[in-house]
Amino acid sequence: MAAPMAELPVEPQSLRKLSLKSLKRGLDLFAPSHGASFPLDSESKRIRVGYKATAEYGRVKNLPIEDTQDKSKDKSKQSSAPLALPGIPESKDSQKGDQGALVMAPPMLPKAPELAMPSKSSAVISVPGSSDRYTSSSALIERIASKWPKPVWHAPWKNYRVISGHLGWVRSIAFDPSNTWFCTGSADRTIKIWDVASGRLKLTLTGHIEQIRGLAVSQRHTYLFSAGDDKQVKCWDLEQNKVIRSYHGHLSGVYCLALHPTIDVLLTGGRDSVCRVWDIRTKAMVCALTGHENTVCSVFARPTDPQVVTGSHDTTIKFWDLVAGKTMATVTHHKKSVRAMALHPKEHAFASASADNIKKFSLPKGEFLHNMLSQQKTIINSMAVNEDGVLATGGDNGSLWFWDWKSGHNFQQGQTIVQPGSLDSEACIYALSYDMSGSRLVTCEADKTIKMWKEDLSATPETHPLNFRPPKDQRRY
């Protein structure tokens, strides 16, 4: 029996060697036609030549051909015809001649006005018969000016005072209608009253047992209203500096508070997903506006319908009929919690802030107007707008942005600075408000301070130019 043949050893081949083999095989395959050009397509050439003839000579291609001999005869007739001068009667020979002979003006008379030739910058003439598919859109489309309103120039704002005195996060703020003092509520469970002009502490009110989330000062009474995480809503008499009424009914923490501008009604919203309406004098709950599916965290009131507008963590904004106690409309444009809203002091419009966007709506119907043109990209805890159309928004990361109300242009991006000894993570703005004149802005922050801001009077449109670019497309939601 023959012995089995020994197997030949397989030569190990590297990846580089295999790649070179593959390239050589491909070269051998396509080498005969390497330098040859592609055959011309007669049909495409015919279309291309026909389009060029139509585009360039389409307007004159079908004109009738004039006879050059007839043209020269007419010219000789015109040159032989006598000149008709004013005051000189025509001779009989000239009258017998061609009636269509050209009568030329004397050389001393003014020239006839020449026909105006079209300038190079005139409108593009559309060629009849040419396909729209081949024409350049940039040459034919007229440049239309943007319909987006141009922003008004506003001076940048600067921090001019830092007030410290609270022992916890400063969560809420309200101004006195006389514009002489303002009050702040804090996580240290106290309400402090400060002088607007000097920034000095005037009074401290104690009575809450949890942090104070909402404050409001009455325009018709000497009352201050406060609400906190302890489920309590209190009415303070500022003549006696003590609590005279408490409003019981909330099942969880109270997050926001507002007073009706014309009737003695108090509105509070909280974690029980209900906006409750209270009679200030009798302490009775008039009605509970139910319909939200999560925390009611922002509310404001108007003298006309819709008299109550609420924003919630369920991402909706609801308009309420105060008489019937029912929802008039629901706005569902936001994708995140609506933590802050601001009613314009003059216009029938309001802005709402969420982590996804800041949006403007008209009143009373709640029609969407437009988004602000930038995104703050943080949770916005508070916002306010003054009569000059400056909208301020305070973020969870300490960003303080200023916007032009009319156009939505963000003209300043500020950043709060934490106080020495505070953590960088405490750069957070929880509440902000303009004073009654709209010339001062006060922010309440997580580093336990209150900061006051004003416009930089030395700024001009030349030193701080308006860098505005209108949006290319307007969103409908």
Side-chain angles (χ1 to χ4, degrees):
M1 190 172 176
M5 288 179 64
E7 293 184 0
L8 294 172
V10 179
E11 181 187 356
Q13 296 185 355
S14 65
L15 185 63
R16 183 173 178 275
K17 193 170 181 180
L18 289 170
S19 300
L20 289 172
K21 274 188 177 181
S22 176
L23 283 172
K24 186 176 182 301
R25 195 180 302 116
L27 182 66
D28 294 341
L29 186 62
F30 295 106
S33 60
H34 177 65
S37 60
F38 289 103
L40 292 174
D41 186 4
S42 58
E43 182 66 18
S44 65
K45 184 179 179 181
R46 186 183 65 79
I47 292 171
R48 192 165 65 251
V49 171
Y51 163 68
K52 187 175 179 182
T54 307
E56 295 186 7
Y57 310 111
R59 295 180 70 85
V60 297
K61 189 173 68 170
N62 299 321
L63 288 177
I65 301 169
E66 295 183 0
D67 192 0
T68 55
Q69 294 179 358
D70 294 344
K71 218 172 186 181
S72 60
K73 286 178 184 178
D74 291 342
K75 280 186 179 179
S76 62
K77 281 182 182 179
Q78 288 173 11
S79 60
S80 62
L83 295 177
L85 299 177
I88 301 173
E90 294 183 6
S91 64
K92 291 180 182 178
D93 297 334
S94 63
Q95 289 176 3
K96 289 177 184 176
D98 188 15
Q99 298 294 327
L102 177 66
V103 178
M104 296 182 67
M108 296 304 290
L109 290 179
K111 291 183 180 179
E114 295 181 1
L115 291 173
M117 296 299 290
S119 62
K120 291 182 181 178
S121 60
S122 61
V124 177
I125 300 168
S126 61
V127 179
S130 63
S131 174
D132 292 334
R133 195 156 55 93
Y134 298 108
T135 53
S136 173
S137 60
S138 61
L140 295 179
I141 296 173
E142 184 185 353
R143 294 288 180 183
I144 302 169
S146 175
K147 293 180 181 178
W148 198 271
K150 191 175 180 182
V152 181
W153 183 84
H154 300 284
W157 291 66
K158 62 178 182 179
N159 178 226
Y160 72 98
R161 181 180 291 152
V162 179
I163 303 170
S164 58
H166 278 293
L167 302 177
W169 294 347
V170 190
R171 298 302 302 253
S172 53
I173 183 171
F175 268 87
D176 166 45
S178 66
N179 210 30
T180 56
W181 54 268
F182 66 93
C183 54
T184 54
S186 170
D188 62 7
R189 301 164 299 183
T190 64
I191 301 167
K192 291 184 183 290
I193 295 176
W194 312 85
D195 184 58
V196 173
S198 63
R200 292 197 182 101
L201 179 66
K202 298 179 77 171
L203 185 68
T204 301
L205 301 172
T206 58
H208 279 279
I209 56 173
E210 277 290 341
Q211 61 180 345
I212 296 152
R213 292 278 198 136
L215 288 171
V217 183
S218 175
Q219 293 187 344
R220 291 190 303 279
H221 309 285
T222 57
Y223 294 160
L224 167 68
F225 297 89
S226 63
D229 281 352
D230 52 7
K231 311 178 195 175
Q232 297 181 23
V233 181
K234 294 179 183 290
C235 173
W236 305 77
D237 187 348
L238 295 174
E239 290 179 342
Q240 306 175 52
N241 295 335
K242 67 177 185 180
V243 178
I244 57 170
R245 296 186 190 96
S246 290
Y247 304 91
H248 299 283
H250 273 285
L251 306 177
S252 190
V254 188
Y255 277 26
C256 57
L257 177 146
L259 282 167
H260 196 283
T262 54
I263 55 177
D264 290 336
V265 160
L266 176 68
L267 308 159
T268 56
R271 283 179 58 192
D272 53 5
S273 310
V274 177
C275 178
R276 299 183 189 271
V277 184
W278 309 89
D279 187 336
I280 289 173
R281 295 162 294 182
T282 63
K283 301 186 290 184
M285 186 174 71
V286 178
C287 64
L289 305 176
T290 58
H292 281 294
E293 297 174 359
N294 209 326
T295 304
V296 179
C297 50
S298 52
V299 61
F300 66 83
R302 301 174 65 243
T304 56
D305 282 334
Q307 296 185 52
V308 183
V309 180
T310 57
S312 169
H313 283 343
D314 64 6
T315 74
T316 64
I317 300 167
K318 287 186 182 289
F319 298 175
W320 300 91
D321 183 349
L322 195 57
V323 177
K326 294 181 180 178
T327 307
M328 291 175 65
T330 303
V331 176
T332 58
H333 289 68
H334 283 287
K335 299 181 180 68
K336 301 284 184 181
S337 304
V338 185
R339 293 172 181 263
M341 295 190 297
L343 178 66
H344 195 278
K346 287 183 177 178
E347 296 180 13
H348 296 292
F350 74 97
S352 59
S354 174
D356 60 346
N357 232 323
I358 301 170
K359 299 178 184 290
K360 256 174 69 178
F361 299 94
S362 68
L363 288 168
K365 293 184 179 179
E367 295 165 341
F368 173 70
L369 297 176
H370 63 84
N371 288 320
M372 294 296 165
L373 300 184
S374 305
Q375 285 185 321
Q376 203 161 342
K377 294 184 178 176
T378 184
I379 295 170
I380 297 172
N381 292 315
S382 183
M383 65 194 306
V385 61
N386 64 5
E387 291 186 356
D388 295 334
V390 178
L391 176 70
T393 55
D396 218 44
N397 58 356
S399 58
L400 179 63
W401 285 23
F402 293 92
W403 314 76
D404 176 55
W405 174 269
K406 184 180 177 183
S407 64
H409 171 60
N410 171 228
F411 68 89
Q412 185 183 356
Q413 298 181 4
Q415 179 70 33
T416 187
I417 301 169
V418 295
Q419 292 307 292
S422 299
L423 301 171
D424 289 338
S425 59
E426 288 183 316
C428 171
I429 298 172
Y430 282 121
L432 57 85
S433 175
Y434 285 102
D435 68 350
M436 291 298 151
S437 67
S439 60
R440 298 287 184 274
L441 179 70
V442 181
T443 57
C444 305
E445 307 191 5
D447 61 353
K448 308 173 190 174
T449 64
I450 301 155
K451 294 186 175 71
M452 299 184 76
W453 308 73
K454 65 179 179 181
E455 286 185 333
D456 187 1
L457 299 177
S458 62
T460 63
E462 287 74 29
T463 58
H464 294 78
L466 202 61
N467 186 18
F468 172 67
R469 289 184 180 178
K472 292 181 180 177
D473 54 340
Q474 187 172 355
R475 287 177 57 177
R476 292 175 292 166
Y477 53 89

